[in-house]
Amino acid sequence: MARLTHADLLDPAALPDPVGDLKKAVGTYQEALAHGKTVLAEYHLEGGSSAVLARQLSWLTDQILLLAWRKFRSGLNVGNRVDLIAAGGYGRSELNLESDIDLLILVSPSDGAEEALITDFAEQFIRFCWDIGIKVGHSLRTEKECVDIARNDISVITNLMETRLLDGDPDRFKTLQDRLRSRRVWPVERYFREKSAEQAARHKQFG
């Protein structure tokens, strides 16, 4: 079996600017994503490692999302006020061919026209992801909103603990991680107690 390389999956230079010609971009990105997934499926059916598939699919998804993200961010003049963060299984770089993609769009506090601009940017980007075939679950939040919601929801805190920065300000990302890992948000004993109860409930429901 031939070794699987990034070049087998994607040619980033072939992907156009979605802000310039959206219809053309959707078709081209769809084809690129489908090609990469087909290569990965064939690799796996020929006996290729599932761990390699998971890592390579995560890389493919990273590249396509980042290309689109940066082009939308530049075209809509959002600047550095937003960060793109992978969460959950995607944050761990563990994907299968039908996995959903969990994204956090971390934003700096803003108001008025700036807030409207960022919201419009996020909506256009997420709509484009769905149009090209990436099933995205996303949230658009400030650091404070992330912490406030995570403090009262074990599913949210678990999802946000398994994150990695795709694009944006590494210092802002580290600040968020440090706040989420604080015992004041989720004391360790409470977390494991409630996580154990959550797992028991899943086993009871699904067997």
Side-chain angles (χ1 to χ4, degrees):
M1 180 188 304
R3 183 172 177 270
L4 196 61
T5 68
H6 290 164
D8 296 324
L9 301 179
L10 180 69
D11 176 12
L15 297 179
D17 186 347
V19 180
D21 186 340
L22 182 60
K23 184 175 181 180
K24 177 182 177 182
V26 166
T28 306
Y29 276 70
Q30 282 177 338
E31 292 170 3
L33 181 63
H35 167 77
K37 284 191 168 186
T38 297
V39 171
L40 286 168
E42 290 173 350
Y43 165 82
H44 192 51
L45 289 172
E46 291 171 2
S49 163
S50 58
V52 171
L53 182 149
R55 288 197 305 271
Q56 293 281 29
L57 180 56
S58 183
W59 176 87
L60 173 67
T61 306
D62 286 356
Q63 303 312 304
I64 289 179
L65 286 177
L66 280 170
L67 282 165
W69 168 268
R70 287 169 178 163
K71 291 180 185 296
F72 273 107
R73 190 185 63 186
S74 175
L76 299 177
N77 198 30
V78 175
N80 63 354
R81 297 186 291 273
V82 290
D83 305 321
L84 183 63
I85 298 170
Y90 182 40
R92 299 191 305 271
S93 297
E94 295 178 356
L95 295 179
N96 66 46
L97 292 169
E98 296 302 322
S99 290
D100 293 337
I101 305 300
D102 289 333
L103 294 175
L104 167 64
I105 299 176
L106 184 65
V107 301
S108 300
S110 57
D111 54 35
E114 186 178 68
E115 183 177 3
L117 176 66
I118 291 173
T119 300
D120 180 60
F121 155 76
E123 289 176 351
Q124 290 195 45
F125 169 69
I126 295 299
R127 188 182 308 120
F128 182 78
C129 291
W130 277 97
D131 287 346
I132 66 175
I134 296 179
K135 297 179 288 186
V136 176
H138 79 286
S139 55
L140 177 68
R141 294 174 183 153
T142 64
E143 177 190 311
K144 182 180 185 303
E145 288 170 338
C146 288
V147 173
D148 289 346
I149 295 171
R151 182 177 279 116
N152 298 305
D153 192 320
I154 194 164
S155 297
V156 172
I157 186 62
T158 300
N159 189 271
L160 290 179
M161 284 196 298
E162 300 176 318
T163 54
R164 59 190 173 91
L165 181 66
L166 295 174
D167 189 66
D169 184 340
D171 292 333
R172 192 158 51 208
F173 176 62
K174 183 179 185 305
T175 299
L176 174 64
Q177 286 189 309
D178 290 344
R179 289 194 64 186
L180 289 171
R181 284 167 169 74
S182 169
R183 288 182 61 90
R184 287 173 297 187
V185 176
W186 272 91
V188 174
E189 297 82 359
R190 177 192 169 202
Y191 178 82
F192 279 101
R193 184 171 60 251
E194 295 200 19
K195 201 66 185 171
S196 178
E198 180 189 56
Q199 184 181 49
R202 282 183 178 172
H203 288 175
K204 183 177 180 180
Q205 181 176 359
F206 298 110

